[in-house]
Amino acid sequence: MGPGPINADPRVLRAMSAQLVGQYDPAMTAYMTETMGLYREVFKTANEQTLLIDGTSRAGIEAAIVSLVSPGDRVLVPVFGRFGHLLREIAERAGAEVHVIEREWGTVFTVAEIEEAVIRTKPALLAVVHGDTSTTVAQPLEGLGELCEKHGVLFYTDVTASLAGNAFDTDALGLDAVTAGLQKCLGGPSGSAPATFSAKAVAVIESRKSIEAGIAGDSSEIRESRIRSNYFDLAMIFDYWGEKRLNHHTEATTMLYGARECARLLVEEGLDAAVERHRLHGAAMLAGVQGLGLEVFGDLAVKMNNVVAVRIPSGVNGDAVRGELLEDFGIEIGTSFGPLHGKVWRIGTMGYNARKDAVLTTLASLEQVLRRQGASVTAGGGVGAAYDVYSDGSVA
């Protein structure tokens, strides 16, 4: 019940137990094509280049940035938590001239603040984290697509922590590149990074296309501006997933099975229904920790549906509480990073764990551990407040 990874859906684990097949077996290429179609529905996009990056969600971030950004390009990163700093570092490693604007953790930017920075820095790429689990708040993306279109800027966002648990629509938001991971609201294990790219982003990536010598045809050329990573070279990865079936790397077959099943289950449930499920159980968890008398961190107006940050009560050993929850009840909750390290717990309600029983069990267990640690909590207040939320809405 932390901020991720979470327990994978048993159906995803069963799908991952299937036997391996060769990467060019007709069944395998059919699975790849089917997976692309499923993730177009998950991302709500018509983008042809919608596929998987083999690696954790960070692999998707790095593939997007290293393939879109040439050395010397300007990149603007609004930082409001740990993972904005990550985007900054990856862009710097790609040779970009990175410009940063920062907000206090727990708050987000206005469109006007971002536009002022775009006008001032004139970036080629705006790179924004959507939901940052380090702070549990989500940066509103509405209006940023129009802003980027107006100023000729590519628009990228990382939705690892938010996709499928919070409202998100790639095409309606005007995004050019989006990357995610399986281990949060998608209900799978880490190790595969779904991603989608607009025609505009694809044109930029294709302009840097350079096929490695060992698999290049006679007409291939090696460009001076080629993408600096071979493994994360999206120009070659597009050809690997496309009709050319370029022999770029060996597909992570078992992870593809898992990613495909994550998407299939989500499409079967319905994207809107999944977001509502996360909203309901997230609201119950929020009410529950408040019902125990605990203080919540961050601007609740922009809090993600699927995770809440709880201030550790004065005099309570935060790590001891986490340890006792894990040892005695088999429940894991998270700590945080940077300025929030040792100051908050992060409790997730996401993916397979966005369920009534998981929420109520966590709240009941937390109450007992806090009592043993000497904290003053409202008896039955957590479960009672959660029940009140459930009585007002349907229970998934």
Side-chain angles (χ1 to χ4, degrees):
M1 298 297 289
I6 49 81
N7 299 90
D9 190 304
R11 294 169 291 183
V12 173
L13 297 179
R14 283 197 295 270
M16 295 177 70
S17 70
Q19 184 55 274
L20 304 182
V21 296
Q23 59 182 325
Y24 295 114
D25 185 301
M28 184 63 176
T29 54
Y31 294 154
M32 293 170 74
T33 299
E34 180 187 0
T35 300
M36 294 174 82
L38 286 167
Y39 276 99
R40 289 187 189 105
E41 296 189 61
V42 172
F43 283 116
K44 295 189 176 181
T45 185
N47 290 339
E48 177 184 358
Q49 298 299 354
T50 302
L51 39 72
L52 303 177
I53 310 299
D54 288 336
T56 62
S57 51
R58 187 174 300 216
I61 297 169
E62 188 150 343
I65 292 177
V66 77
S67 296
L68 285 168
V69 175
S70 295
D73 282 353
R74 291 183 182 181
V75 175
L76 174 63
V77 183
V79 175
F80 59 98
R82 173 191 170 182
F83 295 103
H85 287 293
L86 174 63
L87 300 191
R88 174 187 190 173
E89 176 170 328
I90 291 174
E92 287 175 341
R93 287 179 180 235
E97 177 188 320
V98 182
H99 298 264
V100 168
I101 54 174
E102 294 194 54
R103 285 294 302 262
E104 179 183 358
W105 287 29
T107 67
V108 296
F109 295 89
T110 66
V111 174
E113 287 173 323
I114 295 175
E115 181 165 29
E116 185 280 328
V118 166
I119 293 170
R120 174 168 44 84
T121 63
K122 297 179 174 58
L125 177 72
L126 172 65
V128 185
V129 174
H130 182 211
D132 195 316
T133 50
S134 68
T135 67
T136 73
V137 301
Q139 171 63 49
L141 301 177
E142 290 77 11
L144 297 183
E146 293 87 344
L147 167 63
C148 288
E149 180 69 24
K150 175 183 174 183
H151 295 284
V153 178
L154 287 173
F155 183 20
Y156 161 70
T157 189
D158 164 35
V159 296
T160 298
S162 55
L163 185 65
N166 303 266
F168 181 79
D169 188 319
T170 298
D171 289 355
L173 289 166
L175 280 149
D176 293 301
V178 184
T179 63
L182 304 184
Q183 72 272 21
K184 298 182 188 282
C185 300
L186 285 170
S190 61
S192 185
T196 187
F197 302 90
S198 72
K200 190 190 304 181
V202 170
V204 171
I205 292 165
E206 294 282 1
S207 73
R208 305 179 67 201
K209 187 172 185 176
S210 182
I211 307 300
E212 63 184 82
I215 56 175
D218 293 339
S219 62
S220 298
E221 61 178 321
I222 297 176
R223 289 184 168 87
E224 289 297 323
S225 62
R226 65 179 171 173
I227 294 164
R228 288 195 165 189
S229 170
N230 177 291
Y231 188 71
F232 294 134
D233 185 329
L234 285 175
M236 287 197 284
I237 292 173
F238 291 163
D239 280 350
Y240 178 63
W241 280 79
E243 293 181 1
K244 293 182 180 179
R245 299 296 178 191
L246 181 76
N247 189 8
H248 176 250
H249 68 283
T250 301
E251 178 59 26
T253 309
T254 300
M255 285 309 308
L256 183 140
Y257 294 161
R260 174 172 167 258
E261 185 69 357
C262 285
R264 189 192 69 78
L265 293 172
L266 186 56
V267 170
E268 181 181 81
E269 179 181 7
L271 270 296
D272 292 343
V275 170
E276 172 56 23
R277 173 167 57 87
H278 283 86
R279 186 209 61 78
L280 174 65
H281 298 299
M285 183 65 78
L286 171 62
V289 295
Q290 290 175 323
L292 286 171
L294 301 174
E295 183 182 354
V296 175
F297 169 82
D299 183 352
L300 294 183
V302 289
K303 190 189 83 68
M304 299 162 65
N305 288 334
N306 51 299
V307 62
V308 61
V310 181
R311 291 190 184 274
I312 299 172
S314 177
V316 170
N317 184 319
D319 287 341
V321 169
R322 293 176 62 235
E324 196 165 321
L325 271 175
L326 185 60
E327 183 174 348
D328 293 348
F329 295 94
I331 296 172
E332 179 190 53
I333 63 173
T335 182
S336 193
F337 315 101
L340 296 182
H341 180 69
K343 297 180 180 179
V344 302
W345 296 305
R346 294 177 299 152
I347 305 175
T349 47
M350 59 183 81
Y352 182 68
N353 293 346
R355 308 190 317 267
K356 181 180 179 181
D357 64 301
V359 170
L360 297 178
T361 301
T362 300
L363 289 168
S365 303
L366 180 61
E367 177 184 339
Q368 296 308 313
V369 172
L370 285 171
R371 286 180 178 281
R372 286 174 50 81
Q373 289 289 325
S376 176
V377 294
T378 303
V383 170
Y387 266 127
D388 288 343
V389 172
Y390 288 128
S391 69
D392 293 335
S394 60
V395 179

